[in-house]
Amino acid sequence: DSGVTQTPKHLITATGQRVTLRCSPRSGDLSVYWYQQSLDQGLQFLIHYYNGEERAKGNILERFSAQQFPDLHSELNLSSLELGDSALYFCASSSTTGGSGNTIYFGEGSWLTVV
Amino acid sequence: AQKITQTQPGMFVQEKEAVTLDCTYDTSDPSYGLFWYKQPSSGEMIFLIYQGSYDQQNATEGRYSLNFQKARKSANLVISASQLGDSAMYFCAMRATQGGSEKLVFGKGTKLTVNP
């Protein structure tokens, strides 16, 4: 158990809909990262938050948004869903940002299927 | 730009034998970290081992060791005494800095199959 909790574990929804994925980082970790893993794109970095502040954006679509709340949990919102958004979405956390130290632990992922 | 290359799409090993999974990286940052993760068919991403760029010794964690050759920019994972449960995808990743923040850049992975 990595200590990173993601909900829901599985989600099936229709095209055009909106979903919210939730992540609770490891106790004490201030950094939260979101990743998308699909068969054709591999693991893609989406966005990074540190202590409530957005720090970096990767290949995140405009239809997607995220935030980190004062209690440090984070949510990834996916809207106007398309078939191609079907993927495994990971949240990861670490205790700091920057530098070469500190392990990054991943949650078990949220499987999203868009039909 | 930072990049991770894993040249072995698939590897096979006999149970109880050792196996090396290759990883090369490219970065211009003097400070970086290298990670290996295991992803079984169930999907979770399990942290295995970490090596910092300034670490003098190669990292070890149980049956996992990281063969870090800085000059060659390689960070190979060695699994000793393979077990059937080691069958999984293995990803090499590098902590990359980006405007004061950081992210993990992943390789495409190596699928390891352990045969009985």
Side-chain angles (χ1 to χ4, degrees), chain A residues 6 22-23 25 28 32 44 62 64 70 74 93 95 99 112:
Chain A
Q6 288 188 247
R22 194 179 192 278
C23 170
V32 169
Q44 298 287 317
E62 287 192 10
F64 296 0
S74 178
S93 75
S95 59
L112 173 65

mmCIF file of all heavy atoms in Angstrom, chain A residues 6 22-23 25 28 32 44 62 64 70 74 93 95 99 112:
data_model
loop_
_atom_site.group_PDB
_atom_site.id
_atom_site.type_symbol
_atom_site.label_atom_id
_atom_site.label_comp_id
_atom_site.label_asym_id
_atom_site.label_seq_id
_atom_site.Cartn_x
_atom_site.Cartn_y
_atom_site.Cartn_z
ATOM 1 N N GLN A 6 -6.902 6.707 -4.355
ATOM 2 C CA GLN A 6 -7.629 7.252 -5.499
ATOM 3 C C GLN A 6 -9.031 6.657 -5.561
ATOM 4 O O GLN A 6 -9.211 5.465 -5.344
ATOM 5 C CB GLN A 6 -6.914 6.925 -6.812
ATOM 6 C CG GLN A 6 -5.643 7.692 -7.034
ATOM 7 C CD GLN A 6 -5.091 7.461 -8.426
ATOM 8 O OE1 GLN A 6 -4.033 6.853 -8.604
ATOM 9 N NE2 GLN A 6 -5.813 7.974 -9.437
ATOM 10 N N ARG A 22 -10.720 11.609 -7.744
ATOM 11 C CA ARG A 22 -10.257 12.163 -6.484
ATOM 12 C C ARG A 22 -8.984 11.468 -6.014
ATOM 13 O O ARG A 22 -8.811 10.266 -6.231
ATOM 14 C CB ARG A 22 -11.340 12.008 -5.422
ATOM 15 C CG ARG A 22 -11.128 12.817 -4.166
ATOM 16 C CD ARG A 22 -12.293 12.597 -3.208
ATOM 17 N NE ARG A 22 -12.288 13.549 -2.112
ATOM 18 C CZ ARG A 22 -11.562 13.440 -1.017
ATOM 19 N NH1 ARG A 22 -10.743 12.411 -0.871
ATOM 20 N NH2 ARG A 22 -11.618 14.351 -0.062
ATOM 21 N N CYS A 23 -8.132 12.237 -5.364
ATOM 22 C CA CYS A 23 -6.854 11.702 -4.890
ATOM 23 C C CYS A 23 -6.540 12.250 -3.508
ATOM 24 O O CYS A 23 -6.590 13.462 -3.281
ATOM 25 C CB CYS A 23 -5.735 12.087 -5.860
ATOM 26 S SG CYS A 23 -4.070 11.740 -5.245
ATOM 27 N N PRO A 25 -3.299 12.327 -1.083
ATOM 28 C CA PRO A 25 -1.874 11.996 -1.074
ATOM 29 C C PRO A 25 -1.476 11.302 0.226
ATOM 30 O O PRO A 25 -2.265 11.213 1.174
ATOM 31 C CB PRO A 25 -1.201 13.363 -1.184
ATOM 32 C CG PRO A 25 -2.180 14.314 -0.569
ATOM 33 C CD PRO A 25 -3.535 13.769 -0.915
ATOM 34 N N GLY A 28 1.313 13.920 4.906
ATOM 35 C CA GLY A 28 2.465 14.811 4.941
ATOM 36 C C GLY A 28 2.980 15.230 3.577
ATOM 37 O O GLY A 28 3.806 16.146 3.489
ATOM 38 N N VAL A 32 1.231 16.821 -5.410
ATOM 39 C CA VAL A 32 0.341 15.858 -6.074
ATOM 40 C C VAL A 32 0.531 15.985 -7.581
ATOM 41 O O VAL A 32 0.577 17.085 -8.120
ATOM 42 C CB VAL A 32 -1.134 16.117 -5.716
ATOM 43 C CG1 VAL A 32 -2.055 15.300 -6.613
ATOM 44 C CG2 VAL A 32 -1.392 15.787 -4.251
ATOM 45 N N GLN A 44 1.639 9.712 -19.553
ATOM 46 C CA GLN A 44 1.740 11.132 -19.861
ATOM 47 C C GLN A 44 1.508 11.958 -18.600
ATOM 48 O O GLN A 44 0.501 11.793 -17.914
ATOM 49 C CB GLN A 44 0.712 11.513 -20.919
ATOM 50 C CG GLN A 44 0.890 10.820 -22.255
ATOM 51 C CD GLN A 44 2.072 11.357 -23.016
ATOM 52 O OE1 GLN A 44 2.292 12.560 -23.078
ATOM 53 N NE2 GLN A 44 2.863 10.455 -23.598
ATOM 54 N N GLU A 62 -7.544 21.097 -22.615
ATOM 55 C CA GLU A 62 -8.321 22.198 -22.049
ATOM 56 C C GLU A 62 -9.607 21.704 -21.415
ATOM 57 O O GLU A 62 -10.153 22.350 -20.514
ATOM 58 C CB GLU A 62 -8.624 23.235 -23.134
ATOM 59 C CG GLU A 62 -7.412 24.057 -23.521
ATOM 60 C CD GLU A 62 -7.785 25.259 -24.380
ATOM 61 O OE1 GLU A 62 -8.990 25.555 -24.514
ATOM 62 O OE2 GLU A 62 -6.860 25.879 -24.925
ATOM 63 N N PHE A 64 -9.787 19.299 -19.533
ATOM 64 C CA PHE A 64 -9.424 18.743 -18.226
ATOM 65 C C PHE A 64 -8.973 19.881 -17.307
ATOM 66 O O PHE A 64 -8.307 20.824 -17.742
ATOM 67 C CB PHE A 64 -8.282 17.740 -18.367
ATOM 68 C CG PHE A 64 -8.602 16.515 -19.163
ATOM 69 C CD1 PHE A 64 -9.844 16.305 -19.737
ATOM 70 C CD2 PHE A 64 -7.627 15.536 -19.348
ATOM 71 C CE1 PHE A 64 -10.128 15.168 -20.472
ATOM 72 C CE2 PHE A 64 -7.897 14.387 -20.080
ATOM 73 C CZ PHE A 64 -9.143 14.204 -20.642
ATOM 74 N N PRO A 70 -7.174 22.863 0.357
ATOM 75 C CA PRO A 70 -6.370 23.138 1.562
ATOM 76 C C PRO A 70 -6.006 21.891 2.364
ATOM 77 O O PRO A 70 -4.959 21.864 3.011
ATOM 78 C CB PRO A 70 -7.268 24.079 2.371
ATOM 79 C CG PRO A 70 -8.076 24.789 1.341
ATOM 80 C CD PRO A 70 -8.335 23.767 0.264
ATOM 81 N N SER A 74 -6.665 16.222 -3.948
ATOM 82 C CA SER A 74 -6.736 16.819 -5.282
ATOM 83 C C SER A 74 -7.846 16.160 -6.086
ATOM 84 O O SER A 74 -8.215 15.014 -5.839
ATOM 85 C CB SER A 74 -5.408 16.644 -6.004
ATOM 86 O OG SER A 74 -5.447 17.162 -7.316
ATOM 87 N N SER A 93 2.138 11.210 -5.260
ATOM 88 C CA SER A 93 2.483 12.269 -4.324
ATOM 89 C C SER A 93 3.921 12.142 -3.865
ATOM 90 O O SER A 93 4.524 11.054 -3.918
ATOM 91 C CB SER A 93 1.532 12.278 -3.121
ATOM 92 O OG SER A 93 1.806 11.221 -2.205
ATOM 93 N N SER A 95 6.848 14.355 -0.958
ATOM 94 C CA SER A 95 6.832 15.270 0.179
ATOM 95 C C SER A 95 7.311 16.671 -0.166
ATOM 96 O O SER A 95 7.009 17.620 0.534
ATOM 97 C CB SER A 95 7.662 14.703 1.326
ATOM 98 O OG SER A 95 8.989 14.493 0.900
ATOM 99 N N GLY A 99 14.664 19.292 -6.789
ATOM 100 C CA GLY A 99 15.795 18.548 -6.265
ATOM 101 C C GLY A 99 15.798 17.100 -6.707
ATOM 102 O O GLY A 99 14.926 16.645 -7.416
ATOM 103 N N LEU A 112 -10.847 4.701 -16.329
ATOM 104 C CA LEU A 112 -11.976 5.396 -16.941
ATOM 105 C C LEU A 112 -12.263 4.787 -18.304
ATOM 106 O O LEU A 112 -11.376 4.690 -19.144
ATOM 107 C CB LEU A 112 -11.666 6.884 -17.106
ATOM 108 C CG LEU A 112 -12.707 7.692 -17.890
ATOM 109 C CD1 LEU A 112 -14.032 7.737 -17.130
ATOM 110 C CD2 LEU A 112 -12.200 9.101 -18.169
#
